[in-house]
Amino acid sequence: MSNIQPQRRTRSWLIALIAILAGGAVAWLGWTRAREQFFYSYLVAWIFWTGLSVGSLGVVLLHNVTGGHWGYAIRPIARAAAGVLPLMAILFVPIALNTIRLYEWADPYVVENDPALQHKAPYLNTDSFQLRAAIYFAFWFLLLVLLAWQNRSAPLPDTPADRRFRRLSGQGLALHGVAVTFASVDWLMSLEPHWFSSIYGLIVFVSQGLLGLAFAIFIRTIADCRSAVLPAPEANVLHDLGKLLLAFIMFWAYVAFSQFLLIWYGNLPEEVIWYNKRIEGQWAPVALALVALHFAVPFCLLLSRKWKRDPRRLGATAALIIVMDWVYFLWMVEPTAEHGRLSYVPWLDLGLTAAIGGVWWLIFLLLLPPLAAVRVEPESAEERHG
Amino acid sequence: MPDHLLLEAAAPPDVYGVLGEFPSADQLVEAARLAHEAGYRRMDAYSPFPVHGLAEALGARATRLSFVVLLGGITGGVLGYLLQYYCVVVSYPLNIGGRPYHTWPSFIPITFEMTILGAALAAVFGMLALNGLPRPHHPLFAVPEFNQASHSRFFLCLEARDPHFDLDRSQEFLTHAGATYITIVES
């Protein structure tokens, strides 16, 4: 396996470079031809890759708190994915400097004529938007430092040092939830500053966690597909990961549907506008696709024990979830600016996602230890049920 | 007469099986593997703690419980949905804020809960039905040494209902497999 790895890495690097070049060309085309959409597409791409890093960070923290064999199999992958966060902070700069192109509340002319936005101005203004983003990233960097410190000292289980990392991770995870909630309000919900939903932060939090988990499983299964015969402990770990993925999919459907049900049932004009844009017209098929491919299909597939234990099938399901999570962020962002735009061009979203994804991937590869090292050691009797 | 004796020896009607005791979990797993290789299917192993690989060595197949649970879940969900549909559309339609009677989004939470309930009930009672519990008595309880199965001993029992079973040869088999103590269990 170790001699195959460098070749695959080279191919990986090549694909990333092609994605950056092709995506960059598309982005340039979009910049010249569809300027009004450029920043929305940039936001989709940025929020997707940021969500992947932030979600991976959450997965590692979660594993620090709960322990268990499933986590050791994907930890290095999730840690590397979380490690790309500094890049995402740099890529946030174009958004922070161009709030007026994305957010109504950043446009003084709009705010002047809108009492509701004037009322919200103490929170929703460009200065505090930038300041809050700096705080979120500073907090996430702190968590990355914590993880690096833990990785360096590598404490033995149940030593005081191990318990300290566990406690810090628990506290960090709670604050992480707060940070993601506020960040999701700033970056996504305030795209439509009149609309509000109190469960929104949780939905984004779950989407990111699901994305991080699905990505780690996907990379993990690629490594597993290399080995011809899957030893039993590996299949057991995949089984656990599949169950966790199923639980996250159900959690996502649960919170996403909860928001829909309350708004649909309340039927209040200021609340339903968000869904009216997204479940009618050209976005209706996307909404249906989300129900089918982000929930129903993977849910039914992952019910099967055989499916969860097969690296190819589990990997394909994880890949489907990753793609659909991207569609989910797209579906949340793009319908915002529908009014006043001549025509929506999906290729710009794809191009920018590929371009940012290429850079993300290169840094991820630098941080990822050789996957051959990421093997699950045979489990001991008392740890098996962890 | 010889015919009659032969029949006695093969599987006397009052014998449940032969029980062998093994000194360690590893030897129990090995014995179970050998027994499975020798063609025994109706057998069971008893140990004070879950032993890794024992179920595989015994040749245990996946149970039908998952299928029972799936059916229970689907039944619960369908019944939950139909109950609501019957109540608010057929039996007692009420106009609430001009909404349609068949307000499917508001049916989902109860349908979801009923799916869980149906699956959980099917899991508990299906498990009991498939493994034959609760069971107040078992022939093995008559073996005095078997008390130790719950804290320090490892046992393998070859049952008489196995077509492969033979009172003498099965005891011999257990001896070869490394059993330190062998006894005949009466039914």
Side-chain angles (χ1 to χ4, degrees):
Chain A
M1 189 159 165
S2 50
N3 52 358
I4 306 173
Q5 213 57 43
Q7 271 180 15
R8 293 181 56 77
R9 289 232 166 179
T10 320
R11 207 165 68 202
S12 234
W13 282 87
L14 266 176
I15 293 172
L17 285 175
I18 292 168
I20 294 171
L21 290 177
V26 170
W28 178 77
L29 204 67
W31 177 256
T32 54
R33 300 278 170 83
R35 187 75 56 91
E36 313 87 63
Q37 195 194 314
F38 183 87
F39 277 99
Y40 288 99
S41 295
Y42 186 88
L43 181 64
V44 170
W46 179 81
I47 206 91
F48 172 76
W49 292 107
T50 306
L52 180 45
S53 287
V54 171
S56 302
L57 183 60
V59 168
V60 181
L61 290 174
L62 182 68
H63 180 245
N64 272 354
V65 176
T66 64
H69 252 85
W70 60 271
Y72 295 112
I74 57 168
R75 249 186 107 86
I77 302 166
R79 273 195 45 227
V84 193
L85 263 173
L87 168 76
M88 301 323 289
I90 296 167
L91 290 176
F92 180 69
V93 171
I95 295 173
L97 297 180
N98 289 282
T99 49
I100 194 165
R101 290 180 180 274
L102 279 166
Y103 304 101
E104 270 186 351
W105 50 257
D107 188 337
Y109 179 75
V110 176
V111 175
E112 210 173 282
N113 297 299
D114 192 325
L117 291 190
Q118 280 166 25
H119 186 71
K120 292 180 182 187
Y123 187 85
L124 288 181
N125 60 72
T126 301
D127 288 341
S128 65
F129 178 86
Q130 292 166 344
L131 176 69
R132 283 195 305 271
I135 294 173
Y136 308 144
F137 276 108
F139 170 67
W140 286 327
F141 293 164
L142 211 63
L143 290 180
L144 286 181
V145 170
L146 173 74
L147 294 185
W149 179 28
Q150 180 193 22
N151 195 47
R152 191 160 214 189
S153 58
L156 292 168
D158 270 329
T159 51
D162 181 55
R163 278 196 291 276
R164 181 185 58 208
F165 284 120
R166 189 175 271 217
R167 193 177 60 243
L168 285 174
S169 297
Q171 293 159 350
L173 194 59
L175 286 172
H176 181 59
V178 176
V180 171
T181 303
F182 275 88
S184 67
V185 171
D186 283 6
W187 299 338
L188 291 171
M189 198 161 95
S190 81
L191 283 167
E192 279 148 289
H194 294 98
W195 181 78
F196 50 86
S197 160
S198 49
I199 204 173
Y200 195 85
L202 183 60
I203 299 177
V204 172
F205 185 62
V206 174
S207 306
Q208 291 179 340
L210 175 59
L211 186 56
L213 182 69
F215 178 78
I217 292 177
F218 178 65
I219 300 295
R220 171 81 214 172
T221 52
I222 288 177
D224 279 344
C225 284
R226 299 289 109 201
S227 43
V229 183
L230 207 58
E234 300 262 335
N236 286 341
V237 163
L238 286 185
H239 195 175
D240 284 349
L241 288 171
K243 284 188 259 188
L244 203 57
L245 189 65
L246 176 66
F248 261 91
I249 290 169
M250 288 176 67
F251 193 20
W252 174 83
Y254 187 87
V255 290
F257 179 77
S258 296
Q259 174 178 285
F260 171 75
L261 177 66
L262 292 187
I263 289 176
W264 177 87
Y265 208 80
N267 203 20
L268 297 170
E270 68 268 29
E271 288 182 355
V272 295
I273 43 162
W274 197 83
Y275 277 107
N276 281 348
K277 279 184 200 165
R278 285 167 177 80
I279 60 175
E280 281 166 10
Q282 64 169 336
W283 292 100
V286 180
L288 282 177
L290 281 170
V291 175
L293 299 177
H294 201 310
F295 171 65
V297 170
F299 172 80
C300 293
L301 293 178
L302 287 175
L303 283 179
S304 153
R305 170 189 160 95
K306 227 190 233 161
W307 195 280
K308 281 177 285 209
R309 295 177 79 90
D310 180 341
R312 276 168 214 280
R313 291 175 183 177
L314 184 65
T317 315
L320 174 70
I321 292 293
I322 295 169
V323 172
M324 289 318 289
D325 227 49
W326 179 77
V327 173
Y328 186 57
F329 284 117
L330 177 84
W331 179 80
M332 289 205 284
V333 171
E334 284 293 355
T336 309
E338 209 113 89
H339 49 270
R341 187 191 295 163
L342 293 173
S343 63
Y344 164 64
V345 283
W347 50 258
L348 187 48
D349 295 299
L350 285 172
L352 276 162
T353 304
I356 294 184
V359 185
W360 190 97
W361 185 256
L362 289 182
I363 298 185
F364 170 72
L365 283 183
L366 280 178
L367 296 171
L368 185 69
L371 277 182
V374 190
R375 301 218 71 80
V376 185
E377 61 284 16
E379 37 204 339
S380 60
E382 68 270 27
E383 256 191 306
R384 195 178 323 128
H385 302 285
Chain B
M1 273 314 124
D3 267 15
H4 171 73
L5 279 175
L6 206 68
L7 210 67
E8 275 290 89
D14 58 344
V15 166
Y16 174 78
V18 291
L19 183 70
E21 190 198 315
F22 294 86
S24 74
D26 289 340
Q27 272 162 294
L28 178 63
V29 172
E30 181 59 16
R33 200 184 58 75
L34 287 174
H36 191 263
E37 258 174 26
Y40 288 99
R41 292 296 177 269
R42 298 280 188 181
M43 57 178 168
D44 213 343
Y46 305 87
S47 63
F49 54 82
V51 175
H52 194 45
L54 185 54
E56 289 79 3
L58 285 167
R61 280 164 301 152
T63 66
R64 281 166 300 158
L65 188 61
S66 51
F67 183 66
V68 173
V69 174
L70 180 67
L71 277 187
I74 292 172
T75 311
V78 170
L79 284 181
Y81 197 95
L82 287 181
L83 174 73
Q84 297 173 83
Y85 186 86
Y86 173 76
C87 288
V88 302
V89 180
V90 180
S91 169
Y92 204 81
L94 268 180
N95 184 335
I96 301 167
R99 287 183 186 78
Y101 294 132
H102 185 205
T103 54
W104 66 265
S106 60
F107 292 0
I108 299 284
I110 290 175
T111 306
F112 173 69
E113 299 296 344
M114 289 294 287
T115 308
I116 305 287
L117 181 65
L121 290 177
V124 173
F125 291 106
M127 178 267 291
L128 292 179
L130 288 176
N131 67 12
L133 291 175
R135 184 169 181 176
H137 185 69
H138 192 281
L140 282 171
F141 295 168
V143 180
E145 289 77 9
F146 191 70
N147 281 341
Q148 299 294 313
S150 56
H151 39 108
S152 57
R153 309 282 176 84
F154 304 88
F155 292 100
L156 180 68
C157 181
L158 303 174
E159 294 169 18
R161 56 193 173 133
D162 193 301
H164 220 73
F165 185 82
D166 179 285
L167 195 54
D168 295 329
R169 275 189 287 136
S170 293
Q171 292 187 67
E172 233 169 79
F173 173 83
L174 285 176
T175 316
H176 283 302
T180 51
Y181 169 86
I182 293 167
T183 185
I184 298 170
V185 185
E186 287 174 12
S187 60

